[in-house]
Amino acid sequence: MSKTDLSTLLLKWYDLNGRQLPWRVKGGAHPNPYVILVSEFMLQQTTVKTVIPYFERFMQRFPDIDTLARADLEEVYLYWQGLGYYTRARSLHTTAQIIMKNYAGKFPQSKQEILKLKGFGPYTAASFLALAFNQAETVIDGNVTRIICRLHHLTEPTDKITDKIRELATELTDSAHASDYASAIMDLGALICTPKNPLCRQCPWNKFCQSKNCADLEKIPYKTKISKTEKNGFVYLIFNDQGQIFIRKRTEPGLLTGLYEFPWSETHLYQDAINTNLTISHIFTHIKLTLNIQTLLKNTPPTKGIFINIAELENYPLSTLMKKVINTWQKHN
């Protein structure tokens, strides 16, 4: 069977079985590229199920690119909190401002121009152009990599065969129906060709898959494992006599820049702090961070920051790490 026939089978399957998502349309490009922009940034390293409620809430507050560009970044963080990877929120906000300033609110449609925008890499650019403008771009994410490797029974580590995977994926891409094809192959990976217990009998490519009856099916694709680095430290809940808690805005460069936090460090900052014997752990991509929760009484801010009532914390953008800290402490106090 030809590659064109495979694409046709997939599109027919998608027409009947593709997911209904709040940022998706079938039958061509989305009429509003802004919808695709927001969804693509939210979906980076985050599951569809997690993103949906955040997307709907975000779009209610920032319904168009002009509204987002004019918004204060701190408010954008507030509507993003819980999704993690806050650099995405900063990049999305910056991109909105660039498009309003440099392109009069009109989205550029060339890959060269798209890649100049903040937060766009090769994958996001390809996905955006395919979904927003039906351009013949090949979208390769984890789902697509898994499908291609299983379809052709590629058993080398994926980081060694990236060019081969891209070549094979490009050959299958339906250039005339790029938007639907991009959604279709991602849905095939999410619904059928799953990492564990794939539903091979329901796959439109079942007859042509070289891995379907192989013992190593669930091991494909083969990936080079990256070990996690473990770090430990201390986080300080600092209270004043009124029972208010101290927070500061993080200015250090990194994933959490611009968010509010309780003071924390890998070294002990306050020798008079009380050890609560409570700890929390959080994973940052390849780093596992474990923090011991300490409490401290001070009536003047120990550094640049403010004292607020605990109930007011919901008005400030906190990272998931800091939410874990305060929730763990409140659960035991």
Side-chain angles (χ1 to χ4, degrees):
M1 178 170 280
S2 72
K3 297 175 177 63
T4 300
D5 291 332
L6 284 173
S7 300
T8 300
L9 283 174
L10 180 60
L11 289 170
K12 287 181 178 178
W13 173 87
Y14 171 70
D15 189 50
L16 296 173
N17 302 284
R19 292 174 292 182
Q20 300 295 323
L21 301 174
W23 50 82
R24 175 179 285 177
V25 297
K26 291 184 178 181
H30 198 289
N32 185 357
Y34 174 69
V35 171
I36 301 301
L37 178 73
V38 174
S39 64
E40 284 299 306
F41 273 72
M42 286 190 168
L43 286 164
Q44 292 171 12
Q45 298 177 287
T46 309
T47 64
V48 166
K49 183 179 179 180
T50 298
V51 164
I52 288 175
Y54 286 94
F55 174 83
E56 292 175 337
R57 182 168 173 256
F58 193 92
M59 292 299 293
Q60 287 178 355
R61 173 60 189 89
F62 311 108
D64 53 60
I65 195 163
D66 182 47
T67 303
L68 178 59
R70 293 174 181 272
D72 184 80
L73 179 57
E74 191 167 304
E75 186 181 14
V76 175
Y77 282 146
L78 195 61
Y79 278 81
W80 195 276
Q81 65 178 348
L83 274 176
Y85 301 98
Y86 288 88
T87 52
R88 298 179 299 171
R90 291 197 295 274
S91 295
L92 177 60
H93 186 247
T94 299
T95 284
Q97 293 177 326
I98 291 172
I99 291 174
M100 289 305 301
K101 180 180 178 181
N102 297 348
Y103 299 93
K106 303 294 183 181
F107 284 83
Q109 296 186 33
S110 75
K111 181 180 283 189
Q112 183 180 8
E113 291 298 310
I114 287 293
L115 287 171
K116 292 178 182 179
L117 299 174
K118 191 72 173 177
F120 276 92
Y123 166 77
T124 306
S127 185
F128 176 76
L129 290 170
L131 297 173
F133 299 112
N134 201 37
Q135 292 191 20
E137 292 287 340
T138 298
V139 178
I140 302 178
D141 66 352
N143 283 325
V144 176
T145 296
R146 183 168 60 256
I147 291 167
I148 296 299
C149 286
R150 286 178 175 176
L151 181 64
H152 297 278
H153 199 245
L154 305 180
T155 57
E156 301 100 317
T158 54
D159 60 337
K160 305 293 185 183
I161 54 171
T162 53
D163 289 342
K164 187 172 185 178
I165 292 170
R166 175 166 293 281
E167 179 184 348
L168 292 168
T170 301
E171 289 176 354
L172 285 170
T173 300
D174 189 314
S175 58
H177 307 91
S179 179
D180 280 354
Y181 181 85
S183 295
I185 196 165
M186 286 188 280
D187 278 10
L188 186 67
L191 302 176
I192 303 297
C193 195
T194 51
K196 300 295 182 183
N197 302 312
L199 305 176
C200 295
R201 291 183 180 180
Q202 299 178 31
C203 179
W205 289 348
N206 174 275
K207 293 181 181 179
F208 315 99
C209 180
Q210 297 179 34
S211 302
K212 64 179 178 182
N213 295 318
C214 296
D216 63 348
L217 172 63
E218 292 189 2
K219 295 180 180 179
I220 300 173
Y222 287 83
K223 298 180 180 179
T224 302
K225 291 187 177 181
I226 301 176
S227 60
K228 288 183 172 60
T229 299
E230 294 196 12
K231 293 186 177 182
N232 298 284
F234 305 87
V235 59
Y236 300 90
L237 301 181
I238 302 173
F239 298 92
N240 61 18
D241 285 339
Q242 287 74 48
Q244 294 179 311
I245 194 167
F246 176 81
I247 59 172
R248 67 184 185 188
K249 191 172 186 177
R250 187 171 181 84
T251 58
E252 295 90 335
L255 293 174
L256 306 179
T257 301
L259 300 179
Y260 284 85
E261 64 180 8
F262 311 114
W264 66 279
S265 174
E266 293 181 41
T267 57
H268 216 320
L269 297 178
Y270 305 103
Q271 298 305 318
D272 53 341
I274 298 173
N275 185 354
T276 66
N277 293 315
L278 299 172
T279 61
I280 62 98
S281 293
H282 190 73
I283 304 294
F284 294 97
T285 311
H286 302 306
I287 298 175
K288 180 181 179 181
L289 176 64
T290 300
L291 296 177
N292 171 247
I293 301 174
Q294 309 254 317
T295 58
L296 192 64
L297 179 65
K298 281 185 176 291
N299 284 309
T300 56
T303 183
K304 189 176 181 180
I306 56 173
F307 281 101
I308 64 169
N309 296 323
I310 291 181
E312 294 179 278
L313 284 172
E314 64 181 22
N315 299 324
Y316 293 83
L318 298 174
S319 67
T320 300
L321 170 64
M322 291 298 126
K323 285 186 175 183
K324 283 184 178 180
V325 170
I326 192 63
N327 290 340
T328 298
W329 180 81
Q330 288 181 314
K331 183 178 179 180
H332 293 85
N333 288 274

